[in-house]
Amino acid sequence: MDRSIPATRNSREEDEESADFSDGQETIESLRARPGDPRAVRTLARRLRDGAVGLPPAGTIAALEESERLYMSLPGDTAVAALADVRCRKGQAQASAGLGASAVLTMDESLSVYDALGANRPHSPYSLDYAHAFLINAGILRRYGDPDLAVASADGAIRQYLHRRDEINSSLRQAVHIGRFHQALAIASELHAAGGRFGLAHQVDAMAIEGAPRAGDMAVRARARKAVHLRADGRAREADELSRHVHASSPKALAEAEDVFARSERLTLRQAVGQARSALGEQAVPPPLDALLTDPSQVLEAGWCVSLRGPEDVMATGASHLVRASLALPDGAGELRRTLALEAHYLFAVASLEQVPDLRHRFGSHGSDWARALLWLTRSARDGDAALADDLAGWLRGVLLRLRPYALVDAEAQTAFEEGNRFVLSRPEG
């Protein structure tokens, strides 16, 4: 992906500048009839983006995808910020519809565009939009991806909000931004504690308590989390004292914090690689894979989406190793196999989008592994999660189309193509 797009102006300025009195009087059909008119294209893209709110899930996604295509068709870089926003909305809509595998990758694209716009620079007009995208990304990764990336994304949102605290405090949308800031704190606190990083969890809890508004229940929920994390960290006396105060004001908040901590989080890729290495040996899960792992204890260095996992030249090869390790494990290791295969899919997809030479030049081999991973994932998801199974099946169809020419000359590709093709032909297209 191009990460060097210069920042020009923010998406609100771009929308306001392109709008005029006649926009509301033009129908969607009349705007679609003028594909060569940049003003009509821009207006249509904005109308589709804003009108997607409140539609059924499929309609929301379709409207946002059309808006995305239109913004991408505009010349220059004036619509880039709007494109990042549309992708963020689309990722959120995909996740709400259960299309989690696509949502993870859409949010990766959104954050990559914000990176290219320099949204992390001081005084960037995109910082708060960037922070919101980090927050959405964290929630999606927590549900469909690697919790280590999720907590790194939540930490990224926290940093953005802290850097813009003066702007937030003087903003008309202060309550919205403060609410999002505390959502990011909650995710970071819960995931750091779940990963045994209690020092970081305590820091985040203290920040949440100190920064909570006097009105509302943000402070009591932050204290409840802190009490639970203190107890898990072996600091029983402090935990007991804080728990008594929390229980007196809100027994429900304390019970919810205890339930969240007791809940089993998704397996991280770091954990999955370690378990697979123990089961299969280092030859099956070689050390170069470690370059693709996120260490959330290194808060400032941790990547927050798949495309930042590691060097491009490791992505495709690493993904193939993950697939082969997944398929070599016994059937009883379902969650471990699922983690390895799904993270391999994400790596292959990003490598494909970024046109990594290793994937392009060795697609017969890597594409076969990608198809096998998607086939196993789709089969394993179809009973318990039909929406995710349909999402993965769509990706499988796309990979098989690219693999077809290689199946004519490569025995490995032929086997993967035929098995995958039989499966997709046997099920209705989602």
Side-chain angles (χ1 to χ4, degrees):
M1 296 178 190
D2 183 0
R3 300 180 186 272
S4 60
I5 302 170
T8 51
R9 51 190 166 185
N10 68 33
S11 56
R12 295 181 187 85
E13 290 171 339
E14 181 254 324
D15 281 348
E16 289 166 2
E17 184 172 303
S18 64
D20 61 36
F21 180 77
S22 65
D23 285 352
Q25 300 175 335
E26 295 179 277
T27 66
I28 293 289
E29 290 72 20
S30 68
L31 291 168
R32 283 193 176 120
R34 291 148 54 200
D37 179 354
R39 191 198 65 78
V41 171
R42 189 184 303 277
T43 301
L44 176 58
R46 187 180 63 254
R47 292 265 297 275
L48 288 165
R49 181 196 66 186
D50 296 342
V53 178
L55 293 175
T60 297
I61 294 169
L64 291 170
E65 286 180 339
E66 184 177 358
S67 176
E68 179 184 24
R69 289 192 295 271
L70 291 166
Y71 277 126
M72 289 177 68
S73 73
L74 289 169
D77 58 16
T78 58
V80 173
L83 178 62
D85 175 52
V86 167
R87 285 177 173 165
C88 184
R89 297 183 192 209
K90 186 176 82 168
Q92 197 171 19
Q94 288 169 327
S96 296
L99 309 179
S102 290
V104 167
L105 294 161
T106 299
M107 289 308 303
D108 193 301
E109 290 185 274
S110 175
L111 284 166
S112 296
V113 175
Y114 279 121
D115 286 346
L117 285 165
N120 61 339
R121 297 173 190 158
H123 312 300
S124 168
Y126 314 107
S127 291
L128 293 177
D129 293 332
Y130 192 40
H132 188 211
F134 269 130
L135 173 60
I136 293 170
N137 186 55
I140 290 172
L141 285 168
R142 185 178 191 177
R143 183 178 174 189
Y144 293 108
D146 185 351
D148 283 346
L149 285 181
V151 72
S153 189
D155 286 334
I158 291 167
R159 287 195 299 275
Q160 291 298 315
Y161 284 123
L162 288 174
H163 290 162
R164 304 307 289 264
R165 70 182 79 185
D166 292 339
E167 178 183 337
I168 289 171
N169 288 335
S170 62
S171 169
L172 294 175
R173 304 184 74 223
Q174 179 189 43
V176 171
H177 295 308
I178 289 176
R180 290 171 178 172
F181 174 56
H182 280 271
Q183 289 177 46
L185 288 169
I187 293 174
S189 165
E190 290 160 3
L191 290 179
H192 279 310
R197 298 177 294 275
F198 291 109
L200 289 170
H202 297 326
Q203 290 177 30
V204 176
D205 291 336
M207 194 183 306
I209 293 168
E210 181 181 352
R214 292 183 180 180
D217 62 351
M218 287 180 183
V220 72
R221 282 188 278 135
R223 289 190 180 95
R225 289 194 301 270
K226 183 176 180 178
V228 171
H229 299 159
L230 285 169
R231 190 175 305 285
D233 197 19
R235 295 162 63 174
R237 182 177 299 177
E238 296 170 83
D240 287 342
E241 182 178 355
L242 186 55
S243 293
R244 281 195 296 272
H245 288 295
V246 173
H247 190 271
S249 60
S250 179
K252 180 181 177 182
L254 189 61
E256 287 177 350
E258 290 169 345
D259 288 345
V260 168
F261 185 72
R263 182 179 65 200
S264 177
E265 293 286 350
R266 295 174 62 86
L267 199 63
T268 71
L269 184 57
R270 287 173 64 86
Q271 292 168 333
V273 165
Q275 291 179 23
R277 193 168 280 157
S278 296
L280 302 173
E282 194 170 278
Q283 185 174 359
V285 192
L289 272 173
D290 294 345
L292 298 172
L293 305 180
T294 298
D295 183 356
S297 66
Q298 305 296 319
V299 175
L300 296 178
E301 288 77 22
W304 48 79
C305 52
V306 180
S307 59
L308 296 178
R309 271 209 179 278
E312 285 188 355
D313 58 357
V314 180
M315 282 187 177
T317 300
S320 280
H321 281 304
L322 293 177
V323 173
R324 296 182 183 209
S326 172
L327 298 179
L329 289 163
D331 291 340
E335 183 61 23
L336 175 55
R337 297 182 72 183
R338 190 173 300 109
T339 298
L340 295 171
L342 190 56
E343 293 300 326
H345 163 57
Y346 294 148
L347 287 166
F348 276 134
V350 166
S352 177
L353 185 63
E354 297 189 350
Q355 300 184 359
V356 172
D358 184 39
L359 178 64
R360 189 169 67 249
H361 296 155
R362 298 174 55 204
F363 196 82
S365 175
H366 290 318
S368 299
D369 288 329
W370 193 0
R372 280 193 286 265
L374 286 166
L375 177 59
W376 186 87
L377 286 166
T378 305
R379 282 173 167 163
S380 67
R382 61 182 171 178
D383 294 330
D385 194 337
L388 181 60
D390 286 342
D391 188 20
L392 292 164
W395 282 95
L396 176 58
R397 290 185 181 92
V399 172
L400 292 174
L401 283 174
R402 290 181 59 186
L403 192 60
R404 183 194 296 256
Y406 297 89
L408 301 175
V409 295
D410 184 303
E412 182 183 17
Q414 182 181 25
T415 301
F417 175 81
E418 289 177 350
E419 186 179 6
N421 200 44
R422 280 195 300 271
F423 175 77
V424 298
L425 291 176
S426 69
R427 70 192 308 273
E429 188 166 348

